[in-house]
């Protein structure tokens, strides 16, 4: 049996090491940070939204990029498998809104602590503060690694699970891309997803801090609708953020400025119903100026901005508003265009899109199609999903697939 080395002690790396050891493999986990699971600690705002209690088909609908590649890995280690693993080992979980799953304590540290204990029990050797400089390959077969300190560690299998480039403070510095490229793999340029959006429109920035609930965002590119969902969003000092915006960012075209973002402030009403309501409001308050009636329809600060956005006068008396102006108000309430200039920096994104091309990786084992004994797991791969625990589950599932396959290969190699 040859040694298996896992590079990276995040979610994918910990799961890969654990499943490899549970499958009988001899495993060493190398982590560049001073502790394991550094990015896991900040997921779910420190509460750790560790997975989503949904079916496989439902899960696949939430994968924004390369979903078919993940089918085998997700089928081999499901969200329910992850929940059971924690439940059965002293870390109970709870299912909350949107079927998001958290540790019952709502402390991310409990998830990392449980996995660390399970790795210890399974015999995983963990080395912290150890970065890898090179992966050694001879005749297309992995031979081991060389650390930054110059130490050569022999191994027949290496699992690369170093993460993407989002939240670099956690150690996700993109070093895994360098290692993969050096071995001939195609690495697609990393870009931010699950990211807030930048808008240069002054009215957007003036609404900083305003949160909207039960609104609908639509993303259009030409005549093609890329996204439409109802939920919550937030105006910020740089543009827009919040759950709807983060999810929508997964569907932005390569040139975000070419996309059209439409905000429906009254999605529960048809245009006919909304028009009838406007006519009732204007008739009931026919002597008031429009600017004094709009707060009954919209949050205060947005009501102040609204006349200019609709192209009507806020001084107009409601009883004298023309049909043409009413139609402008109606249209703007249900199709307010938010100019978008691009995404926030990659360092602020929750997840990285891009990375190792999945065309060069075997889906069932996560093994490289170019180098025998080299495996990939987690965010390093060019896959990503919406918020709700899906990205962490991708890390658990791809890590489990890589760990089990590497263990099997380590036995076959001897």
């Amino acid at each position: 049996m040859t040694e298996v080395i896992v590079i990276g002690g995040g979610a994918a790396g910990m799961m890969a090491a654990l499943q490899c050891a549970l499958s009988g493999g001899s495993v060493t986990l190398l982590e560049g940070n001073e502790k394991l699971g550094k990015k896991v600690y900040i997921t779910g705002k420190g509460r750790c939204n560790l997975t989503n209690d949904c079916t496989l088909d439902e899960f696949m609908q939430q994968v924004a990029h390369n979903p078919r590649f993940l089918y085998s890995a997700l089928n081999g280690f499901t969200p329910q498998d992850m929940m059971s693993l924690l439940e059965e080992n002293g870390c109970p979980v709870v299912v909350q809104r949107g079927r998001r799953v958290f540790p019952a304590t709502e402390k991310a540290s409990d998830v990392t602590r449980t996995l660390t204990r399970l790795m210890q029990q399974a015999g995983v050797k963990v080395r912290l503060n150890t970065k890898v400089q090179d992966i050694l390959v001879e005749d297309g077969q992995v031979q081991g690694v060389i650390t930054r300190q110059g130490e050569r560690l022999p191994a027949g299998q290496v699992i690369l699970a170093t993460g993407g480039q989002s939240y670099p403070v956690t150690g996700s510095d993109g070093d895994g891309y360098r290692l993969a490229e050096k071995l001939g793999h195609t690495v697609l340029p990393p870009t931010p997803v699950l990211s807030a959006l930048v808008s240069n429109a002054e009215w957007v920035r003036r609404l900083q801090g305003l949160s909207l609930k039960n609104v609908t965002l639509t993303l259009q590119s030409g005549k093609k609708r890329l996204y439409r969902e109802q939920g919550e969003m937030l105006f910020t000092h740089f543009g827009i953020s919040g759950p709807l915006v983060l999810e929508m960012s997964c569907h932005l075209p390569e040139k975000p400025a070419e996309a059209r973002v439409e905000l429906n402030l009254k999605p529960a009403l048809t245009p006919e119903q909304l028009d009838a309501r406007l006519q009732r409001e204007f008739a009931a308050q026919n002597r008031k100026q429009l600017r004094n009636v709009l707060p009954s329809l919209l949050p205060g600060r947005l009501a102040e901005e609204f006349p200019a956005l609709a192209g009507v006068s806020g001084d107009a008396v409601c009883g004298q508003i023309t049909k043409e102006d009413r139609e402008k108000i109606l249209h703007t309430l249900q199709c307010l265009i938010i100019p978008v200039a691009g995404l926030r920096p990659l360092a602020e994104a929750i997840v990285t899109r891009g990375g190792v091309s999945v065309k060069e990786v075997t889906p069932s084992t996560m093994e490289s199609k170019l180098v025998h004994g080299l495996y990939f797991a987690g965010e390093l791969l060019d896959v990503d999903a919406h918020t709700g625990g899906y990205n962490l589950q991708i890390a658990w599932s791809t890590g489990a697939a890589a760990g089990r396959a590497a263990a099997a290969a380590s036995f076959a190699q001897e």
Side-chain angles (χ1 to χ4, degrees):
M1 180 173 64
T2 57
E3 185 73 12
V4 178
I5 287 178
V6 179
I7 306 174
M14 288 189 290
M15 185 57 70
L18 174 60
Q19 293 297 328
C20 185
L22 291 175
S23 300
S26 175
V27 195
T28 299
L29 173 60
L30 307 179
E31 166 55 46
N33 285 316
E34 74 286 357
K35 65 180 180 180
L36 298 173
K38 208 163 182 182
K39 191 173 180 182
V40 175
Y41 281 101
I42 63 172
T43 60
K45 298 179 180 178
R47 297 165 59 220
C48 191
N49 179 192
L50 61 100
T51 189
N52 193 286
D53 188 18
C54 62
T55 66
L56 182 56
D57 286 343
E58 289 169 333
F59 194 107
M60 298 296 278
Q61 291 171 17
Q62 298 298 322
V63 180
H65 200 53
N66 291 323
R68 283 189 293 177
F69 172 79
L70 292 169
Y71 189 87
S72 180
L74 288 166
N75 200 45
F77 191 79
T78 67
Q80 292 72 33
D81 290 333
M82 185 60 193
M83 294 165 67
S84 297
L85 177 69
L86 294 175
E87 288 270 359
E88 292 166 8
N89 289 283
C91 183
V93 300
V94 293
V95 181
Q96 298 185 3
R97 182 173 59 87
R99 291 185 289 189
R100 289 168 164 83
V101 181
F102 297 86
T105 58
E106 297 197 343
K107 292 181 179 178
S109 56
D110 287 341
V111 175
T112 304
R113 191 176 298 116
T114 301
L115 292 173
T116 301
R117 174 169 48 81
L118 290 175
M119 285 192 294
Q120 290 172 342
Q121 292 171 355
V124 176
K125 300 174 284 291
V126 176
R127 291 182 51 171
L128 302 174
N129 299 305
T130 305
K131 286 184 174 288
V132 171
Q133 183 62 35
D134 278 308
I135 298 173
L136 300 170
V137 175
E138 291 180 15
D139 299 322
Q141 170 65 52
V142 163
Q143 300 295 322
V145 305
I146 296 178
T147 68
R148 292 271 177 93
Q149 292 76 27
E151 185 181 5
R152 181 181 175 127
L153 302 175
Q157 291 74 36
V158 168
I159 301 173
L160 195 53
T162 51
Q165 277 187 291
S166 56
Y167 290 115
V169 69
T170 64
S172 298
D173 57 5
D175 200 43
Y177 301 142
R178 175 186 66 82
L179 293 170
E181 278 187 315
K182 205 167 183 180
L183 297 177
H185 271 277
T186 302
V187 175
L188 301 167
T191 57
V193 287
L194 295 184
S195 168
L197 300 180
V198 176
S199 176
N200 295 326
E202 286 300 320
W203 69 266
V204 172
R205 299 185 178 203
R206 284 196 295 270
L207 294 176
Q208 174 185 348
L210 175 63
S211 178
L212 299 177
K213 296 183 178 181
N214 299 317
V215 296
T216 295
L217 278 181
T218 301
L219 179 67
Q220 295 277 147
S221 182
K223 294 182 179 180
K224 187 176 181 182
R225 181 193 297 170
L226 304 177
Y227 174 86
R228 173 176 285 175
E229 287 293 337
Q230 185 171 337
E232 300 178 20
M233 65 167 289
L234 173 71
F235 290 94
T236 70
H237 66 284
F238 55 76
I240 53 175
S241 187
L244 269 184
V245 175
L246 296 180
E247 190 171 288
M248 184 177 70
S249 73
C250 294
H251 303 273
L252 278 179
E254 283 189 25
K255 297 180 179 178
E258 293 180 1
R260 176 184 171 102
V261 177
E262 301 171 0
L263 170 61
N264 186 340
L265 293 157
K266 300 294 179 182
L269 301 175
T270 66
E272 294 74 21
Q273 290 170 330
L274 183 55
D275 190 33
R277 181 179 172 185
L278 287 177
Q279 291 187 59
R280 288 196 304 270
E281 292 276 358
F282 294 165
Q285 306 183 69
N286 64 345
R287 294 185 179 181
K288 289 187 177 180
Q289 290 180 316
L290 176 62
R291 70 173 72 257
N292 296 321
V293 174
L294 284 173
S296 65
L297 295 166
L298 297 167
R301 284 195 292 147
L302 182 54
E304 291 176 20
E305 299 285 346
F306 190 84
L309 297 173
V312 297
S313 172
D315 296 330
V317 176
C318 286
Q320 298 173 2
I321 289 177
T322 64
K323 181 181 178 183
E324 181 184 359
D325 279 352
R326 195 177 75 246
E327 286 176 349
K328 288 180 181 178
I329 294 167
L330 172 65
H331 178 75
T332 308
L333 283 170
Q334 295 201 305
C335 189
L336 174 58
I337 305 302
I338 302 178
V340 170
L343 294 149
R344 290 291 284 174
L346 181 55
E348 295 179 19
I350 296 174
V351 172
T352 308
R353 173 168 293 170
V356 175
S357 171
V358 297
K359 294 177 182 177
E360 299 168 357
V361 180
T362 302
S364 57
T365 62
M366 297 295 136
E367 186 176 13
S368 165
K369 294 179 180 179
L370 310 182
V371 179
H372 291 300
L374 176 65
Y375 301 79
F376 299 98
E379 198 179 339
L380 187 68
L381 291 159
D382 183 27
V383 290
D384 59 83
H386 296 158
T387 56
Y390 303 104
N391 288 290
L392 257 183
Q393 182 60 46
I394 289 171
W396 308 131
S397 294
T398 56
R404 291 166 178 171
S410 73
F411 285 106
Q413 202 169 356
E414 282 296 298

